[in-house]
Amino acid sequence: MMASRTWIMALVLVAGTSTVLASCGAPGSRQSAGAGIGAVAGGVTGGLIARNAGLNPVGGAVIGAVAGGLVGSAIGKSLDDEERRQLALASELAAEQPVVKSAPPKKVQWKRTDPQTSTVTASGWVVPKSEPYQKPDGTTCREVTQNVSKNGQTQSQDVTLCRTQVAQADGSNWVIPQ
């Protein structure tokens, strides 16, 4: 019972931290969305890592939420719509990769080139981090690592993608669960 109470406390702290970090950007902005997604992913990951290491999962969740929120906020803030579209396409292609037991997953490269200047404005790669798995509701999900380089800075974050039954406006069937 104590362990579940600790996890509930960790999740409440992660939710609060992600809300605070998400409020750093304008409502509905790429920055706030990135902060929220990064904080939740970082919080859960940090809590699990801490618990598996025999440490306090609450502290791990809070540290992970802050770090994930900052990385997610920076990535979301810096990318324009076309760069985000390229990252989303690469993420979908990575999530769709078949699992080959004898070979590591392949990185899906992406880049955004300014059509007026022919210069690369952003680039990166996405690679599957886990095998696809089924959630209790039957949804197929997969963790991927997204790497983004822009303006001389490179950032990386782990993201969970889940397949939807209906294609999104951009044609994708993979979304980051809310």
Side-chain angles (χ1 to χ4, degrees):
M1 183 68 171
M2 183 62 168
S4 65
R5 190 173 298 146
T6 302
W7 269 105
I8 291 170
M9 184 196 273
L11 291 175
V12 168
L13 286 170
V14 167
T17 303
S18 66
T19 301
V20 168
L21 288 169
S23 68
C24 294
S29 73
R30 297 184 306 254
Q31 181 181 8
S32 63
I37 292 165
V40 171
V44 171
T45 302
L48 290 172
I49 290 170
R51 185 184 76 183
N52 291 339
L55 303 172
N56 181 350
V58 175
V62 171
I63 291 168
V66 170
L70 293 173
V71 169
S73 173
I75 290 174
K77 179 181 178 183
S78 68
L79 298 182
D80 68 23
D81 288 341
E82 180 58 23
E83 292 162 346
R84 284 190 10 253
R85 192 181 77 68
Q86 293 293 331
L87 174 59
L89 178 61
S91 297
E92 181 172 1
L93 291 172
E96 291 286 347
Q97 275 190 38
V99 176
V100 179
K101 298 286 183 195
S102 61
K106 295 178 184 165
K107 289 182 180 177
V108 177
Q109 303 282 338
W110 68 272
K111 69 178 176 179
R112 182 354 177 125
T113 304
D114 184 324
Q116 296 176 340
T117 63
S118 297
T119 59
V120 174
T121 61
S123 63
W125 50 262
V126 183
V127 66
K129 186 176 175 178
S130 72
E131 293 187 16
Y133 60 90
Q134 295 274 312
K135 291 174 57 177
D137 68 0
T139 304
T140 299
C141 297
R142 192 171 196 183
E143 279 86 31
V144 299
T145 299
Q146 298 174 328
N147 183 286
V148 175
S149 295
K150 183 168 181 168
N151 299 330
Q153 295 186 334
T154 300
Q155 298 172 338
S156 187
Q157 71 178 9
D158 294 332
V159 176
T160 299
L161 300 175
C162 293
R163 189 186 328 241
T164 61
Q165 297 298 322
V166 178
Q168 306 301 299
D170 64 1
S172 171
N173 280 69
W174 290 88
V175 297
I176 298 173
Q178 298 299 322

